[in-house]
Amino acid sequence: MNTEEDEFKRIEAEALRLWAAQTDDDDDTQVYAKPWVGLTWEDMPEEYAGDSNFLSGARWAEAKLKEKNT
């Protein structure tokens, strides 16, 4: 083979590889998302159990995170 034929074969092989990569659809791909899990009373530090400002802030932060992540 001459260099022109070698180059043609190389380009042809690369074109076939690129074409196959574009048309190879993976139908088995699934996106799994973890469900949102909010805070429970057990998640709150005991030392802040009676502090309504802390609890309000924690619930506010939880709501903002849920809004951004769901």
Side-chain angles (χ1 to χ4, degrees), residues 36 61-70:
W36 176 261
E62 179 185 37
K64 283 296 181 184
L65 288 169
K66 183 176 183 179
E67 180 183 306
K68 288 181 175 243
N69 289 288
T70 56

Side-chain angles (χ1 to χ4, degrees), residues 7-52:
E7 183 66 9
F8 177 80
K9 292 282 186 192
R10 186 192 67 76
I11 292 171
E12 182 182 38
E14 180 67 9
L16 287 172
R17 185 189 69 77
L18 291 171
W19 178 79
Q22 290 176 354
T23 59
D24 185 23
D25 291 353
D26 183 6
D27 292 336
D28 294 336
T29 302
Q30 297 176 1
V31 176
Y32 294 100
K34 288 176 70 175
W36 176 261
V37 178
L39 296 172
T40 65
W41 288 111
E42 290 79 29
D43 294 327
M44 300 293 182
E46 235 178 82
E47 59 268 17
Y48 295 109
D51 185 346
S52 63

